[in-house]
Amino acid sequence: MTKDVLDYFKTICSIPHPSGHEELLGNYIEEFAQNHELDYARNEIGDIIIYKEATPGYADYAPILLQGHMDMVAEKDADSNHDFLTDPLEIYEEDGYLHATKTTLGADDGVAVAIMLALLSDNSFKHPRLECLFTVQEETTMDGITHVDKDWIHARKMISLDGDVVGETNVSSAGGVQLTIRKNATFVESHDQGYKFYVKGLLGGHSGDAIKDGRGNAIKIAGLVLKACLDNGFDIRFSSLNAGQKANAICRDGLFTFQSTSNKEELKAFIHERMEEQKALYPLEPLDYTLEEEQSGHVILDSDALIHFLALCPYGVEKYSYYFNHFPVLSLNLGIMETTEKAVELILLLRSENEINLKLLVNEVETLASLFGLSVTPSDEYYGWSYDPDSQLRKSYKEAYKKAYDKELKEVPTHGGLETGYLSRIFPDMDIVTMGPNCIDIHTPQEKLEIKTLYEVHDFIKNWLGEL
């Protein structure tokens, strides 16, 4: 029996594929190509392209590139024991949506893989030659798309399946760069009162899509609260700082341990007051905290530098668009904070459609870090995708969507990073549209996929390909 698109997605959920560890899913896709006797190629990093020849009568039509990424953001609730490297996702259906238990679902971008596999295995519809590109590491380094062999791709019309709202097509996307802020740590033994300060309960979310919503960030909140402690004469010396899981996810929770010689009751009362103030700033989020005493141990010399940097470092939207209402064009996310034996590191992700804006914000962060003796290392820079007002493929998409649903297709920019940026740079004449089913709260354990829209997008593409 032929598998449908939801069957393929459920199979993908059963195969571990966090970003940087897509080999098992890649093996499945390669075996799929072999079983269906389709030409394909796979490179050393793990990207795969599968070709399906045109149906009779369509050989003279221009080929179409369909594209999505194999990897998923691996986020989970604090009380989850899920191992993303070995465990299948625990999925369930509820009220027309597919969920995962206490973890991300990986609909971003498992739906693209599922749609392409369903189309490749289906011989019942008309289409030109199809080139289906499956990339790796989109959610982390963008290394997958940058390693794709240019000679693999002959199409100049591309359907990116990395959209997450039915009835919308992205017309541009942000470029970005990751910054690692590092403070070399000297630990010294201390016997003062220890504390565990745990900030929790925030919604988090995709740092491109959700950053415009003004959501709280546990790293930023902790920095502001502890800076207030210093300003009011309380002694704060860090032992460790550990927060966040992904650079491109807004930090939902974090554990900040420190020691202090200050009066215990006065310190606890002051932190409580400051946290109540923070809660008032995020009325739609279940922000909470715990402050527990613990045994003394080691502390980091010059903790003040870290506290001041966290309090002063930009977070959130820095600029909005002049042309699209409430659309961010420059932002910064505090993603991960980790303490090792030798250093404390904070990983930031900066996004902008404009390279000049991005460079100016990088310079601002570098200047601030230098004032407190912190180093900055940029990495994983990726390109933005500029708006093409003359896209013929988007024109065709809008006409087909209107005909199918008697609705207007919405053209929207995205502050998220898409692989369209790199492909449009190496193929300047590539005409690109994006689409995808309704994927809600991506990059969080609350992620869910509206099942009927997965079928809707699959069926629309299946019918539209015969018109291209």
Side-chain angles (χ1 to χ4, degrees):
M1 182 177 178
T2 303
K3 295 172 68 172
D4 72 7
V5 66
L6 182 59
D7 292 330
Y8 278 115
F9 182 73
K10 289 180 177 179
T11 297
I12 292 162
C13 290
S14 72
I15 303 170
H17 58 286
S19 196
H21 301 276
E22 305 91 345
E23 183 177 0
L24 292 177
L25 182 54
N27 292 343
Y28 170 77
I29 294 171
E30 183 173 13
E31 184 177 345
F32 167 94
Q34 294 169 349
N35 290 340
H36 288 82
E37 299 182 341
L38 297 170
D39 291 336
Y40 74 95
R42 187 177 186 181
N43 61 17
E44 290 185 0
I45 201 170
D47 300 318
I48 299 172
I49 192 164
I50 301 178
Y51 303 99
K52 186 173 185 177
E53 294 305 320
T55 51
Y58 284 77
D60 293 334
Y61 285 68
I64 303 294
L65 173 66
L66 293 97
Q67 186 270 331
H69 58 89
M70 288 184 255
D71 59 319
M72 65 174 286
V73 168
E75 279 263 327
K76 63 182 180 180
D77 286 336
D79 60 347
S80 171
N81 294 319
H82 185 86
D83 187 338
F84 283 101
L85 295 180
T86 59
D87 299 339
L89 300 176
E90 297 179 23
I91 59 175
Y92 63 95
E93 295 182 28
E94 183 176 86
D95 299 329
Y97 289 87
L98 197 66
H99 308 251
T101 303
K102 296 186 176 183
T103 69
T104 39
L105 177 65
D108 177 15
D109 197 18
V111 295
V113 178
I115 290 170
M116 287 190 285
L117 294 180
L119 293 172
L120 287 167
S121 64
D122 187 349
N123 295 319
S124 69
F125 68 103
K126 305 294 185 181
H127 59 83
R129 185 175 190 261
L130 301 181
E131 302 175 350
C132 293
L133 178 62
F134 307 80
T135 54
V136 298
Q137 299 182 34
E138 189 270 354
E139 298 289 7
T140 49
T141 63
M142 288 279 186
D143 277 354
I145 194 66
T146 61
H147 282 77
V148 169
D149 189 334
K150 290 177 62 175
D151 292 337
W152 281 4
I153 298 171
H154 303 91
R156 291 299 181 268
K157 296 179 181 180
M158 172 182 164
I159 303 172
S160 165
L161 296 169
D162 203 5
D164 55 16
V165 180
V166 165
E168 291 187 358
T169 188
N170 295 128
V171 296
S172 65
S173 65
V177 63
Q178 185 169 291
L179 300 182
T180 299
I181 313 297
R182 179 185 174 96
K183 174 178 170 51
N184 293 329
T186 300
F187 292 87
V188 296
E189 189 172 356
S190 175
H191 300 288
D192 297 316
Q193 179 60 57
Y195 297 90
K196 293 191 296 185
F197 180 37
Y198 183 41
V199 179
K200 59 183 179 179
L202 292 160
L203 295 177
H206 188 296
S207 68
D209 291 340
I211 203 81
K212 67 181 183 299
D213 299 330
R215 295 185 181 182
N217 184 298
I219 297 172
K220 185 65 177 180
I221 289 171
L224 290 170
V225 169
L226 295 176
K227 170 67 161 49
C229 289
L230 291 182
D231 291 345
N232 284 270
F234 291 98
D235 171 42
I236 303 290
R237 285 164 292 136
F238 281 131
S239 298
S240 66
L241 307 91
N242 294 286
Q245 299 180 38
K246 302 296 174 186
N248 58 356
I250 298 172
C251 181
R252 296 180 294 119
D253 51 49
L255 179 62
F256 308 87
T257 65
F258 62 90
Q259 290 186 33
S260 178
T261 57
S262 299
N263 179 277
K264 290 192 293 186
E265 299 309 317
E266 291 179 0
L267 177 61
K268 290 179 180 179
F270 185 83
I271 289 178
H272 178 74
E273 291 174 0
R274 300 292 80 73
M275 284 302 298
E276 289 301 306
E277 291 174 350
Q278 290 295 320
K279 288 180 182 181
L281 296 176
Y282 305 101
L284 302 182
E285 299 190 61
L287 171 60
D288 201 0
Y289 82 100
T290 59
L291 181 61
E292 301 175 356
E293 297 178 18
E294 69 168 0
Q295 292 182 343
S296 58
H298 292 80
V299 294
I300 302 170
L301 287 179
D302 192 20
S303 293
D304 287 13
L306 287 167
I307 295 174
H308 281 83
F309 180 82
L310 293 181
L312 294 174
C313 182
Y315 163 69
V317 178
E318 291 288 294
K319 283 189 177 182
Y320 287 96
S321 172
Y322 293 108
Y323 306 106
F324 295 94
N325 184 41
H326 199 63
F327 176 73
V329 294
L330 179 65
S331 72
L332 185 152
N333 179 53
L334 289 73
I336 306 171
M337 198 153 198
E338 297 179 325
T339 304
T340 67
E341 293 181 355
K342 297 182 179 180
V344 177
E345 290 188 348
L346 172 63
I347 300 177
L348 314 179
L349 182 59
L350 287 63
R351 300 176 187 264
S352 182
E353 287 72 14
N354 184 295
E355 292 183 18
I356 297 175
N357 274 336
L358 201 60
K359 290 178 180 178
L360 290 173
L361 186 54
V362 168
N363 182 258
E364 180 180 340
V365 174
E366 289 175 336
T367 301
L368 181 63
S370 69
L371 293 176
F372 297 107
L374 310 178
S375 65
V376 180
T377 304
S379 63
D380 302 334
E381 186 171 4
Y382 58 94
Y383 302 117
W385 166 40
S386 299
Y387 175 65
D388 177 9
D390 301 317
S391 168
Q392 294 303 302
L393 187 60
R394 189 169 68 246
K395 179 181 177 182
S396 173
Y397 182 13
K398 291 172 68 176
E399 292 172 350
Y401 188 85
K402 175 71 173 179
K403 180 179 178 182
Y405 303 109
D406 195 27
K407 296 179 182 178
E408 297 295 333
L409 181 70
K410 295 181 180 179
E411 300 179 38
V412 296
T414 177
H415 197 52
L418 296 176
E419 290 160 305
T420 51
Y422 185 78
L423 287 169
S424 65
R425 181 161 291 218
I426 60 174
F427 300 112
D429 57 342
M430 185 73 79
D431 199 352
I432 303 173
V433 297
T434 74
M435 64 178 68
N438 289 337
C439 305
I440 300 168
D441 288 331
I442 59 175
H443 295 196
T444 78
Q446 289 73 48
E447 181 182 7
K448 59 184 179 180
L449 165 66
E450 189 174 16
I451 295 170
K452 70 175 183 179
T453 64
L454 176 62
Y455 286 109
E456 182 179 322
V457 172
H458 166 267
D459 293 345
F460 177 86
I461 295 173
K462 184 177 173 178
N463 293 326
W464 187 39
L465 287 172
E467 302 174 12
L468 292 178

